[in-house]
Amino acid sequence: MMYIGVNNLCNNSNELPTPCYIFDEAEFGRGIDGFKEALLTRFADVAIGYSVKTNSLPYALRQARLHGCMAEVVSHDEYQLAGLCGFEPREIIYNGPMKSRETFVEAMQGGAIVNLETKRELEWLAAMPAGRTYNVGIRLNINISHVSPKDADSADDNSRFGFSDESSEFADVLSALKAMTGVRVAGLHIHRTTHWREPRFYERSVDYAARVIEKYGLELDYLDVGGGYFGIFPNKPTFADYAVAIHNGLSRHGMERLRIIVEPGNALTASAFSFLSEVIDVKQVDERTRFVTTDGSRNDIDPFFRKSDYLKEILYRDSSRPAEPRQLVAGCTCLEYDRMFTLSDSPRLEVGDRILYNNVGAYTLTLTPQFIRLWPGVYAVDNDGNSRQVRRPSTAADIILFDK
């Protein structure tokens, strides 16, 4: 079966069973290499931590490691997943409040970068075996309203993450760490994201972190700037723009020697994944509206349900059909609001036509629920356009557990 307008990403996209995600290995690698090259023009020592929460597909994690990434994880489950995908503890950045004591101890002993987020981690750290030095980072709370007001969503755009230097929390954590034998503060973690993802925010948050470092006379190895960057998109900030902003924030304090860690997720995965669906039914509900049902769902491409349209390609088997005034493309669930987009004055869609949604790799695979239709399969496409399945579709047998 041939389709009109199919993109050239995958040689056999006509034959792929739908619904499915398509992972572009070359695009993924281009993002990683591009970000690293941009940072290396400004800093001597850099690390990219692939944000596992953004897209936890094991094949993507393995590809990230092949490109020299660390794994940035925020729970004991993600820590264990990274290990199963080949990451040694020294290749892991361990953030977030959902660490387990067991994995915390393993990470500290194995040389992972561990950034403290909760007070219980202080207790675990104090109980670590003696006889060696443990390097640890602290997550610094960032109130965007105070650090970069132009990027704030509200007059009090604060955060529930990190230890605040606007209260006594940060100072208290420092005091607790200094009282521990064999513990050294090696870095700060300042992850915070904004809707606009402007480089100025990174410059200002880095500047704020540098002022905190000066205030307490900290001698650090690294600054973990976190994530939230745009990727390779036209008319958006570039990796070079972010590198310059981070450098500007540090250079005015003479701290360019610090190792710079970034934790991109959206910047690496969004453009590397597409979602392919097929029309399974068409109904004319009134004189004006034609409903088109697909085997995909808004859950697959827009788990936050925020968008009204998408970067998409309509793959007609026959584009010579007459135009329809209004076609509303919907998903396969029983939710009335599972509606993706509307086509106006476009060729009529029929059963068997396909729709390819591009730039849908960020948070989709990790937030897609097992609601009505289980997880779709994933196909990876190499540099030659050849595809292979890297995750099979889930089945009912995968989620059934009988107690005997």
Side-chain angles (χ1 to χ4, degrees), residues 295-371:
D295 58 7
S297 166
R298 197 170 175 185
N299 287 322
D300 299 307
I301 58 173
D302 183 18
F304 296 113
F305 278 57
R306 292 175 179 169
K307 300 178 181 179
S308 58
D309 204 353
Y310 307 89
L311 295 172
K312 60 187 181 296
E313 299 175 50
I314 310 297
L315 314 178
Y316 296 98
R317 290 179 300 164
D318 178 6
S319 61
S320 64
R321 300 177 192 139
E324 289 287 336
R326 186 170 185 263
Q327 299 181 89
L328 202 156
V329 177
C332 60
T333 72
C334 64
L335 300 174
E336 191 67 64
Y337 53 83
D338 187 7
R339 307 179 182 196
M340 271 82 93
F341 62 91
T342 300
L343 291 175
S344 300
D345 298 320
S346 297
R348 178 185 299 162
L349 279 164
E350 297 287 2
V351 172
D353 291 339
R354 293 187 163 194
I355 302 170
L356 184 71
Y357 299 89
N358 295 312
N359 295 357
V360 296
Y363 294 100
T364 47
L365 276 76
T366 50
L367 287 176
T368 299
Q370 297 190 69
F371 174 70

Side-chain angles (χ1 to χ4, degrees), residues 6-276:
V6 67
N7 74 350
N8 58 8
L9 167 65
C10 178
N11 291 335
N12 65 335
S13 57
N14 296 348
E15 304 167 7
L16 295 181
T18 61
C20 68
Y21 289 99
I22 302 174
F23 174 44
D24 185 343
E25 294 179 11
E27 178 69 13
F28 187 64
R30 187 164 73 101
I32 295 171
D33 297 342
F35 208 162
K36 185 177 294 185
E37 290 169 7
L39 290 169
L40 286 173
T41 64
R42 300 285 170 172
F43 301 99
D45 190 4
V46 303
I48 293 181
Y50 174 70
S51 173
V52 175
K53 65 180 174 293
T54 308
N55 191 311
S56 60
L57 180 72
Y59 189 81
L61 267 70
R62 295 189 184 100
Q63 288 294 307
R65 186 172 184 269
L66 289 175
H67 281 274
C69 286
M70 301 180 74
E72 188 263 326
V73 303
V74 293
S75 71
H76 51 84
D77 289 327
E78 288 188 353
Y79 180 89
Q80 292 168 343
L81 176 62
L84 291 173
C85 289
F87 289 89
E88 299 292 333
R90 66 179 181 276
E91 298 173 309
I92 294 175
I93 303 164
Y94 204 177
N95 296 324
M98 198 54 190
K99 303 178 183 79
S100 68
R101 183 167 191 162
E102 179 183 11
T103 55
F104 176 87
V105 170
E106 179 183 321
M108 291 299 304
Q109 292 179 328
I113 293 174
V114 180
N115 293 312
L116 300 179
E117 177 65 60
T118 63
K119 294 176 182 177
R120 66 177 183 171
E121 294 165 57
L122 293 173
E123 299 173 6
W124 299 342
L125 189 58
M128 292 289 292
R132 57 169 291 183
T133 298
Y134 297 101
N135 292 319
V136 69
I138 308 172
R139 183 163 181 178
L140 175 65
N141 179 275
I142 300 290
N143 186 323
I144 299 177
S145 301
H146 300 166
V147 172
S148 187
K150 288 185 177 180
D151 295 294
D153 278 342
S154 66
D156 192 18
D157 193 356
N158 59 16
S159 173
R160 68 185 183 92
F161 298 107
F163 298 97
S164 175
D165 194 44
E166 297 184 19
S167 67
S168 66
E169 293 276 349
F170 186 81
D172 290 345
V173 169
L174 277 181
S175 296
L177 293 174
K178 288 178 180 179
M180 297 180 193
T181 302
V183 173
R184 174 176 171 267
V185 178
L188 281 189
H189 180 216
I190 60 170
H191 173 73
R192 189 77 201 274
T193 59
T194 69
H195 290 310
W196 297 275
R197 306 177 190 268
E198 288 290 340
R200 71 183 174 210
F201 169 72
Y202 293 91
E203 180 173 346
R204 291 171 183 172
S205 59
V206 165
D207 176 81
Y208 174 69
R211 285 186 276 122
V212 171
I213 293 170
E214 290 175 335
K215 176 180 176 179
Y216 294 99
L218 301 176
E219 296 182 4
L220 305 181
D221 298 333
Y222 69 85
L223 178 66
D224 186 338
V225 186
Y229 313 94
F230 274 116
I232 306 173
F233 297 109
N235 304 316
K236 299 295 183 183
T238 65
F239 294 143
D241 293 332
Y242 293 120
V244 169
I246 295 168
H247 185 269
N248 288 344
L250 287 175
S251 62
R252 63 176 62 104
H253 300 274
M255 297 184 185
E256 305 94 320
R257 67 162 187 83
L258 287 174
R259 184 188 197 196
I260 299 302
I261 300 172
V262 293
E263 301 167 352
N266 180 83
L268 303 181
T269 60
S271 62
F273 282 80
S274 301
F275 182 75
L276 185 65

